[in-house]
Amino acid sequence: PLASARALGGFSRATRARLHAAGADATLPPDVRDAIRAAASRARGYPQDPPAPDIVREHRDIRAINEVIVQFLAYRKFDALNSTSQLADVHFTFNFFDFPASTSKPCKLSPPDVPRGEPQMLVPKGAPRRSDGGERAGDAWFRFKVDGTGNGTGDKIPDGPDAMHARRCAFVDYCATQRLSVDVWDGSSLMQHGTCSIDLTGLLRQGRDSAEVMVEAPVLDHREATVDEAAKGRRRRSALAAARGEELPAVDDAPGAGMARGALLVRLINVGRRPDRSLIPSAQGGDGAAGNVVRVRAVPESGGVLAATILGGAQIENTPPRQTSTDLAPVTKSGIAARRAAARADARDERGVLKEQEARKLSRQQRLREIREGKPLAREDAHGLEAEVAPPPRLEFAESEVRAKLLADIDAARRRAKRAAVLEKLRSGISGRKVIRPSYGELCFFEHEFKSPADRDCVFEVRCDDPDISLVASTAEWRALRAASGLSAVAPGMEDDALAGNRLFLLAGESLKVPFKFQSFDAEPVSFDSSSSDIKRGAPDEGLHLRSRAVAVHFVNADDGTSASVLHVDIRPRAMTVARTFRFQTAENEFFKERLPPPPGVATRDASGRGCLAVRASDPAVAAAVVTTESEEDGEVDEVALRYKCGEGSAAFYVCVYADSFLGKLAAVWRVFVHATPKVDVSSLVGQSSHASVVVQGGGATRRVAAFCSHPDELQVSPDRLTLPPGALTELQLAFRPLIPGRLDVTVHLVDLEKGELVHSRLVATDARGPVVSKTFDVDAAPGARAHKKITYTNPYARPRTFHLRCTHPLLLHFRPDRLDLPAGGSRPMGLTFEPAEDWERATRGAAGGVRGAPAEVLVFINDEDDATEECFRIRVHADPR
């Protein structure tokens, strides 16, 4: 029942008007509001269906920085199975791109009293009110900046344009191919309410300054994430719809898709920013290129300081005066300002400056005449008397010596530069450099072209000390990794069995491409503070990160052991991107076993029909594998099987899912939480209630708590409000009435009403068995008229008993009366009234496997005073409305 309006991406105009009046736009940052306003002024009308995104255009956009806003606006509640009707406040958790996990503030639904399916605004608790005193919506927003400096935990070695371009390309691919998974939590019970998947293609700007999109995503039941639970959920919904006399709602038949429990209204905004000029590659050109470079060449004068220094320190009188700091200022705005200030200061006494310059000029001319005449240079000694100093060499000899010295220095500098250039040329011929940016569990494939420098046939060994870098020895793996990297599967010069282990045979001067792969599951140790939760130590919010390092790969001549070439590989890891988070409840000290469907859109079989799915867990204690099961509907189904031995605490780990058997294409990364809690077992029959009790011990202080249950339609907890005295034992009563046969794990939470903290959690493992049917009847329902039948029942006991009549379709089958008071051995007929055939056909549509005209089966339960089933009848109703 989602809205079909397309004017604003799924929002109706009335909802948008209410959100705007509630201040949803005013809560955004001012620069984001300005960007949206500018984009709206340039747009004409509402956008039609956008074309397919151009990935190349996104990669070349000069606005390399993306500032993304994720804003949660409103929520709609649906009437679903085991969905609480008292959902008053929610909060959200999600992983966006490679950023750490984000958690929103608790948001209350406003207004609280609206019909089912109507939007309710999300108002964070503690948010300021509007100027008119009303509640302000839209404060639940997050801001993410995708640039080249990493996210604080990602690319530890940013290297300017390369790092920015690599992260920008990864972000564009993420928006084009992935979906944002948001977990919705019930703020009162602290239980997960559901999960939704949001399309991110609207964040691609396609050359625009900004992009904005409104998304309405259905919130699906997260408990039906597995294939088995999804099948059980469909049967439960069918049974509950029959019990309520409603039509079975349509659901997604995809593996792991559950029933919609609500809808979340989200706004996505992407504002493009231009990076610093130093971070823009020259290839992008335009106004992002650097300015012109001015080179200054210094020419020494014969009478300058350089000449005097070369002559051994002789003082020459015509040396120009020492420059001040103002004269040496760089040619910048600040340097020009300083020179102008100095010029204005000198202009105040311009006449004295001119006189000083004239006197200095006359002095230099006089000294020049004395030098040409050969007169000695007079200087004062330590006693203040004039002493004759040997005349300096003649000017023509000084100039020739200066030139000779300069030419000798230039020749030496040329020889040194030539030697460095030759060495660099030799090094470039025998060495290479490669920069890779892998994330945890991601395989990076690269090729290096090696040419034999020997003049004879040789065998070379490829040696590397890092175990994460290895050769691709198999030709099939080589082709698969090239295809996974976006290259052609066949490369020029590719040969079968080109490598013999780590040995390579080459002819004299022959060259060959050598394939390598890097893949690491060795994460850096993460430091936690004392306030961190123990459960997140295996899967922290920041994700797992690899070590930054440089690795040398040597090509060694096997004949003489000399290194013929070196490949330097710089490993600059990126942060991991989490696609989805799974949370499971299991009993303490038991094996956790679960099967999950593959990621959406990932093929599990290749062209030849062989399985190509692979999986790897970050925790070595977790057994992860791909299993194939038989399904009645889909035939062979590939699933991801997880197995873990639980203790008394909880655990968390990551699961990497690959779309090929060589682990070359990382399809998704899952974050899995396994909560181990105390367990209590309850068993019952379908159609009757079973009772059990749970004892809870109080803590160090008195607490007023509320009891919540994950499946309120099948398990009831009483009392729902209680006080836990410190250190005392308190008993809770459980009443289980199953809808269908099978096993079901129900979670019970005790939440502090004052602090909103989880006080106690208990897992109720239920086992429901089908009733024993004693008799079977057939009834024909006529169209447009009710059918009336009678069945006589006898009290088999030697004392009076009271029996209650119930059935699986109470709105389609009525009892007259619904209670039998029978004496010992007494009998009494019970009347049954069946609704017309069209009501049966509409209510049971899809429950009989999609076969039109198949009879609907109804179970009639005869229960005693304790709601225990004494006898069960099966009635097949043949309903044909034609």
Side-chain angles (χ1 to χ4, degrees), residues 420-504:
V422 171
L423 292 177
E424 182 64 25
K425 190 69 175 179
L426 292 175
R427 291 192 189 98
S428 63
I430 65 173
S431 66
R433 184 170 298 276
K434 181 69 176 179
V435 178
I436 58 176
R437 305 177 189 276
S439 62
Y440 178 86
E442 182 183 9
L443 188 145
C444 286
F445 170 78
F446 57 95
E447 296 173 340
H448 175 67
E449 187 169 357
F450 171 65
K451 182 177 182 180
S452 174
D455 56 355
R456 65 184 187 279
D457 301 347
C458 293
V459 176
F460 298 92
E461 291 184 0
V462 183
R463 299 177 183 178
C464 181
D465 296 335
D466 196 317
D468 295 330
I469 294 182
S470 60
L471 287 167
V472 181
S474 172
T475 307
E477 183 180 4
W478 190 355
R479 293 175 179 173
L481 295 182
R482 284 184 61 88
S485 302
L487 306 174
S488 60
V490 179
M494 181 181 293
E495 301 177 4
D496 294 338
D497 300 329
L499 297 173
N502 67 331
R503 288 175 171 263
L504 177 65

Side-chain angles (χ1 to χ4, degrees), residues 120-439:
Q120 294 177 278
M121 294 182 298
L122 296 172
V123 181
K125 293 184 177 180
R129 290 183 171 269
R130 304 195 307 267
S131 57
D132 56 358
E135 293 179 332
R136 189 173 71 173
D139 268 325
W141 57 269
F142 295 83
R143 189 171 190 169
F144 305 95
K145 186 176 182 180
V146 182
D147 54 10
T149 60
N151 57 8
T153 58
D155 198 340
K156 299 294 185 63
I157 309 179
D159 51 357
D162 295 335
M164 175 172 293
H165 183 69
R167 191 161 186 241
R168 189 249 298 267
C169 293
F171 173 72
V172 170
D173 295 341
Y174 169 76
C175 293
T177 60
Q178 301 291 330
R179 300 177 70 90
L180 177 62
S181 179
V182 179
D183 295 331
V184 184
W185 295 77
D186 185 354
S188 301
S189 63
L190 302 184
M191 293 183 183
Q192 187 175 348
H193 185 68
T195 183
C196 66
S197 180
I198 300 175
D199 186 13
L200 298 176
T201 55
L203 289 177
L204 299 178
R205 292 182 283 106
Q206 296 292 280
R208 297 170 294 177
D209 295 340
S210 63
E212 179 188 7
V213 63
M214 300 287 188
V215 180
E216 181 177 28
V219 178
L220 305 178
D221 194 345
H222 66 286
R223 296 167 300 194
E224 300 181 8
T226 64
V227 177
D228 292 341
E229 292 299 327
K232 294 179 182 178
R234 286 192 289 268
R235 294 199 301 269
R236 284 191 177 88
R237 286 192 295 271
S238 176
L240 184 63
R244 294 178 176 178
E246 300 172 350
E247 185 176 355
L248 186 64
V251 296
D252 191 358
D253 294 332
M259 180 63 184
R261 310 183 74 183
L264 180 63
L265 309 181
V266 184
R267 171 193 282 172
L268 303 176
I269 303 172
N270 183 9
V271 180
R273 308 287 187 188
R274 294 197 178 191
D276 186 77
R277 288 178 175 267
S278 61
L279 298 178
I280 300 179
S282 58
Q284 293 184 359
D287 53 2
N292 296 329
V293 179
V294 179
R295 296 183 178 180
V296 180
R297 178 180 298 177
V299 180
E301 297 180 359
S302 60
V305 179
L306 179 60
T309 305
I310 294 177
L311 290 175
Q315 301 292 331
I316 299 179
E317 192 66 26
N318 63 348
T319 300
R322 181 182 178 184
Q323 291 179 320
T324 62
S325 59
T326 304
D327 299 330
L328 297 177
V331 186
T332 59
K333 291 184 178 180
S334 59
I336 294 174
R339 291 186 179 185
R340 289 178 178 176
R344 286 194 299 269
D346 294 342
R348 300 173 184 174
D349 195 9
E350 185 177 357
R351 182 175 300 179
V353 172
L354 294 177
K355 290 181 178 181
E356 183 181 354
Q357 292 179 354
E358 183 68 20
R360 188 164 56 251
K361 177 180 179 182
L362 295 176
S363 176
R364 286 197 298 269
Q365 292 177 354
Q366 179 66 25
R367 184 54 192 162
L368 181 60
R369 286 193 298 269
E370 293 177 356
I371 291 176
R372 291 177 177 177
E373 294 174 0
K375 295 183 179 181
L377 179 65
R379 288 202 175 179
E380 295 183 357
D381 58 5
H383 302 284
L385 301 178
E386 292 187 357
E388 292 186 359
V389 183
R394 298 185 63 85
L395 184 61
E396 54 269 17
F397 298 104
E399 292 179 355
S400 62
E401 291 183 9
V402 167
R403 290 192 184 96
K405 183 65 174 177
L406 290 177
L407 290 176
D409 292 342
I410 292 173
D411 183 63
R414 285 177 177 175
R415 288 196 301 270
R416 291 192 299 269
K418 181 179 180 180
R419 182 177 182 275
V422 171
L423 292 177
E424 182 64 25
K425 190 69 175 179
L426 292 175
R427 291 192 189 98
S428 63
I430 65 173
S431 66
R433 184 170 298 276
K434 181 69 176 179
V435 178
I436 58 176
R437 305 177 189 276
S439 62

